[in-house]
Amino acid sequence: MRSVGVLSLGCKVNTYESEFVINELKNNGYEIKKFNEICDVYIINTCTVTNTSDIKSRKMIRNAIKRNPDACVVAMGCFIEANKDLEIPGLDIIIGNKDKSKIVSILNEWFLKKNIIKKLYSEEKIYFEDMYITDFPGRTRAFVKIQDGCENFCSYCIIPYVRGKCRSKAKDKVITEITSLVNNGYKEIVLTGIHTGNYGVDLDTNFASLLKEIIKIPNLYRLRISSIEITELTEEVLEIIKNSNIIVNHLHIPLQAGSDEILKRMMRKYDLNYFFKKIKDIKAIRPSISISTDVIVGFPGESNSLFEETIKTCQELEFSKIHVFPYSERKGTKAATLDNSVLISERKLRARKLLEISKELEIKYMNKFIGSEVEVLIEETKDGYSYGHTDNFLYVKIKHLLEHNTFIKVNITDVIYPYCIGKIK
């Protein structure tokens, strides 16, 4: 029996794809081991969203080669698509963002001939690559990839060039996959994609239509949207959110910049007035909703005053959490050609400052629930405590050993960051 270690870097889409690869290999006789163990095969599902992602992807490939020079080392995904001429001695199989689902036959071919294999295509000409998962071992929430590709072409982003055009999983296949996961005991489903809210643009349908069908699935307790653009929270989508107790009380909506000048340079498809109005609409139907976001700091042309404007915007919008990214030049993007670049040291300084603001906002949001009763999905138990999340993504710590993957109602008695302290009634 051959052994394999799989490492997934980057986004939830990669996590889903890597889990599919693991399931395929397991079902075809491979022994699944930890990536840092000695294995016969190593697979790295790479990321290229930032320079740091590139460095980590390359490092993990080299680490695998060094760990066992006799192993078959496979690199796949976005870093590969962005570096199609990549040559690293000891790297045996190179796969882009297509044919990940064919990993078993590709490995069979390599073990037969032991020649370097490259599977790279034009991302303009590929279709949605169907993957189907029935089990996420050790997890209480299961991801379902419903969409791939992006055509927004924000000026800073390389992803449309490495993931290709928007393409969607057929609606009936999404419903079948989620139903299977629910029947296998998963209480929470997370819809994920590269441009999730643009689902169905290639299938003559839309995201709202899909949501309507998903929330009808029997015994589905929680439905979470991994990330959605503000422009895709249409009146129809908001109406579904308003009337469904299945869709959780949390949305992740990328802001990216808190000034109109930088949003325009980023080629985002909204201004602050639009963003504020839409957030107001959301909070009108879900007053206690948790809204997290992404913000890039140090974008070309971002002066100190524009950065301060971003801080003010984030504080006024009262995000429950901000994922902060120092701007990272990506070769081939429009932003890489813009003038007025910000020093890397200043980008890091601004990132640290905004992360402090994020922590303040997060604690402020958590404190709102002291004295409230909440329902927690138990995810982990250790050292006499149980841990889990509420539907609005409060991370709750409970002084009891409780059963994994069950719901428990508790009162929030205190906040000791990063936890809300829960007490069983």
Side-chain angles (χ1 to χ4, degrees):
M1 179 186 288
R2 293 189 177 109
S3 60
V4 59
V6 179
L7 179 67
S8 188
L9 303 174
C11 66
K12 290 183 176 67
V13 171
N14 267 11
T15 300
Y16 175 91
E17 293 169 347
S18 296
E19 198 63 44
F20 174 86
V21 165
I22 289 169
N23 286 348
E24 285 291 286
L25 293 166
K26 189 189 299 182
N27 292 337
N28 282 273
Y30 282 82
E31 178 191 4
I32 309 301
K33 297 176 74 173
K34 292 180 179 178
F35 184 78
N36 60 3
E37 295 181 311
I38 300 298
C39 300
D40 300 310
V41 178
Y42 293 102
I43 299 173
I44 303 97
N45 198 2
T46 63
C47 177
T48 193
V49 72
T50 64
N51 286 326
T52 302
S53 304
D54 281 0
I55 291 167
K56 189 168 185 180
S57 294
R58 191 182 292 270
K59 180 181 178 181
M60 293 300 103
I61 293 168
R62 293 188 186 280
N63 283 357
I65 294 167
K66 185 177 179 181
R67 191 174 301 119
N68 183 6
D70 295 325
C72 174
V73 178
V74 183
M76 57 172 61
C78 292
F79 174 69
I80 297 302
E81 288 288 354
N83 299 274
K84 291 188 176 182
D85 296 328
L86 180 72
E87 289 187 10
I88 298 178
L91 180 56
D92 302 296
I93 298 176
I94 296 171
I95 305 172
N97 278 319
K98 183 179 182 296
D99 284 352
K100 293 179 183 180
S101 63
K102 298 177 182 177
I103 187 63
V104 173
S105 61
I106 292 171
L107 282 172
N108 287 343
E109 179 185 343
W110 187 87
F111 279 111
L112 186 65
K113 301 177 182 178
K114 299 213 172 171
N115 294 329
I116 292 175
I117 295 174
K118 288 189 177 184
K119 297 284 186 179
L120 297 166
Y121 305 85
S122 167
E123 287 292 309
E124 294 294 311
K125 299 177 181 178
I126 64 174
Y127 299 95
F128 187 85
E129 185 173 8
D130 272 324
M131 297 181 184
Y132 185 88
I133 292 178
T134 59
D135 188 29
F136 273 76
R139 295 177 181 266
T140 56
R141 64 175 65 92
F143 300 156
V144 174
K145 178 184 169 185
I146 63 170
Q147 182 275 343
D148 205 340
C150 180
E151 296 168 61
N152 270 354
F153 290 98
C154 300
S155 67
Y156 54 83
C157 189
I158 194 68
I159 299 306
Y161 303 97
V162 297
R163 280 282 180 174
K165 288 186 174 182
C166 290
R167 49 206 189 274
S168 311
K169 181 177 286 187
K171 190 189 295 185
D172 60 333
K173 292 182 178 178
V174 175
I175 300 303
T176 299
E177 185 170 8
I178 294 176
T179 301
S180 176
L181 286 163
V182 169
N183 290 341
N184 285 340
Y186 290 91
K187 305 289 196 302
E188 182 175 314
I189 301 297
V190 183
L191 301 181
T192 189
I194 300 300
H195 190 178
T196 310
N198 205 32
Y199 172 85
V201 67
D202 55 328
L203 299 179
D204 196 28
T205 184
N206 59 34
F207 189 54
S209 176
L210 178 66
L211 287 179
K212 286 179 184 177
E213 296 304 314
I214 293 174
I215 60 177
K216 295 176 186 175
I217 294 174
N219 300 318
L220 172 59
Y221 290 92
R222 286 183 184 175
L223 181 66
R224 195 177 297 276
I225 303 163
S226 62
S227 180
I228 189 166
E229 295 289 342
I230 195 80
T231 52
E232 283 143 14
L233 287 162
T234 62
E235 288 185 13
E236 191 177 10
V237 170
L238 290 182
E239 190 66 19
I240 296 166
I241 292 173
K242 177 183 177 181
N243 296 314
S244 172
N245 59 1
I246 302 297
I247 299 174
V248 299
N249 211 26
H250 168 249
L251 288 170
H252 183 81
I253 309 170
L255 172 66
Q256 303 301 12
S259 73
D260 282 333
E261 185 174 333
I262 298 300
L263 285 173
K264 189 174 182 180
R265 287 172 74 89
M266 286 180 167
M267 297 171 62
R268 299 291 284 171
K269 293 176 169 52
Y270 52 83
D271 58 18
L272 288 183
N273 183 57
Y274 181 93
F275 201 98
F276 269 92
K277 183 181 182 303
K278 191 69 77 168
I279 295 296
K280 184 179 178 182
D281 292 342
I282 295 166
K283 290 186 175 180
I285 62 171
R286 292 278 187 103
S288 63
I289 194 168
S290 165
I291 300 177
S292 55
T293 196
D294 297 330
V295 174
I296 297 170
V297 297
F299 190 80
E302 184 188 64
S303 62
N304 286 329
S305 61
L306 289 177
F307 173 61
E308 291 299 325
E309 192 176 334
T310 284
I311 289 177
K312 183 182 176 184
T313 297
C314 290
Q315 290 171 327
E316 289 179 358
L317 286 165
E318 295 187 304
F319 291 116
S320 58
K321 189 176 182 68
I322 307 168
H323 298 269
V324 183
F325 303 90
Y327 170 68
S328 182
E329 286 88 356
R330 300 280 73 201
K331 184 180 178 182
T333 64
K334 185 172 181 179
T337 68
L338 294 176
D339 54 8
N340 297 323
S341 64
V342 178
L343 291 173
I344 291 175
S345 58
E346 180 63 23
R347 297 178 208 176
K348 292 179 179 178
L349 190 66
R350 291 179 188 179
R352 287 196 295 270
K353 187 170 182 179
L354 192 56
L355 282 170
E356 290 173 6
I357 301 296
S358 175
K359 184 176 178 180
E360 291 170 8
L361 290 171
E362 194 172 355
I363 291 171
K364 181 180 178 181
Y365 180 76
M366 294 164 79
N367 278 329
K368 290 180 181 180
F369 295 90
I370 292 178
S372 300
E373 181 183 270
V374 298
E375 190 171 54
V376 181
L377 180 57
I378 302 302
E379 300 162 6
E380 183 184 17
T381 56
K382 62 179 180 181
D383 302 328
Y385 288 89
S386 296
Y387 301 82
H389 284 88
T390 61
D391 76 324
N392 59 335
F393 225 60
L394 296 174
Y395 194 26
V396 182
K397 181 178 180 179
I398 307 160
K399 193 171 176 56
H400 283 276
L401 292 178
L402 301 166
E403 188 178 347
H404 181 260
N405 199 35
T406 58
F407 286 106
I408 184 75
K409 289 185 178 180
V410 300
N411 286 323
I412 301 299
T413 60
D414 198 3
V415 171
I416 302 176
Y417 187 83
Y419 308 110
C420 286
I421 305 303
K423 185 176 181 181
I424 295 177
K425 295 181 62 178

